[in-house]
Amino acid sequence: MSTLILTTFDWVPELPRGFVRDLRIRWALEEAGLPYRVESVPFNERSAEHLSHQPFGQVPWLIDGDLSIFESGAILLHLGSLSDTLLPADPLHRSKAIEWLFAALNSVEMASLPWALLNFSGDNGDTPAWKFLDDFLKLRLERLEPVLAQHEWLADTFSIADIVMVDVLRLVDRFGGLQASPACRHYIARAVARPAFVKAHADQMAHFAAAD
């Protein structure tokens, strides 16, 4: 197998560090023990080369031989095809992992990201927009809470679904949004204690700090 190449920014401000989405890919690569190296592109510039790999000017993307893949969910599905550690071979559990991967991206993150952006901007006061987004997220968390109370991992064994769901919930937890969701908090704690996460997180933080 050729060495996989993960591309992220060369630097980001302190606030998003530890939450840039190359973390999801680093974590998966570490869990699977797949050989990879990290390359970077300028944070303050979006070159034609950058846009040829990621048309929205974001990160990350992954190079695997002749393949260039963007969007963290798509990259994780590709990595899952390379390792049963990330995506179970058993059809039932594989299907569960895939459906929860999409649930994390489409049902939970679509509620959590606008909420988090308002928190980032400080626009989380008593406004109709804030109340709408806060109530929307709370409903999603209420639906997720009993699932996580009954299962250690979403597909019974750890998978790419957990990598995305945990990363989505970490951002909510950063702003205190899981105070009424103990199962979600315990789920995050289990996941971030995994050695692969610890290394991936430390590597991302060191990568951005080195450019300061």
Side-chain angles (χ1 to χ4, degrees), residues 3 17 21 26-29 35 55 58 60 70 72-73 91 96 108 114 141 175 179 187:
T3 297
R17 293 183 190 185
R21 289 179 184 174
R26 291 176 185 265
W27 185 3
L29 290 163
Q58 299 170 311
F70 73 96
S72 61
K96 286 182 66 175
V108 183
L141 295 174
F175 295 108
Q179 294 179 12
Y187 173 62

Side-chain angles (χ1 to χ4, degrees), residues 81-103:
S81 74
L82 304 179
S83 172
D84 291 351
T85 300
L86 300 173
L87 195 57
D90 168 71
L92 176 61
H93 291 96
R94 188 180 188 88
S95 177
K96 286 182 66 175
I98 291 171
E99 70 182 1
W100 276 108
L101 168 69
F102 281 93

Side-chain angles (χ1 to χ4, degrees), residues 7-11 39-43 45 47 50 58-59 61:
T7 299
T8 186
F9 287 126
D10 58 351
W11 175 89
E39 296 186 350
S40 59
V41 289
F43 176 71
E45 178 185 351
S47 68
H50 185 157
Q58 299 170 311
V59 295
W61 70 82

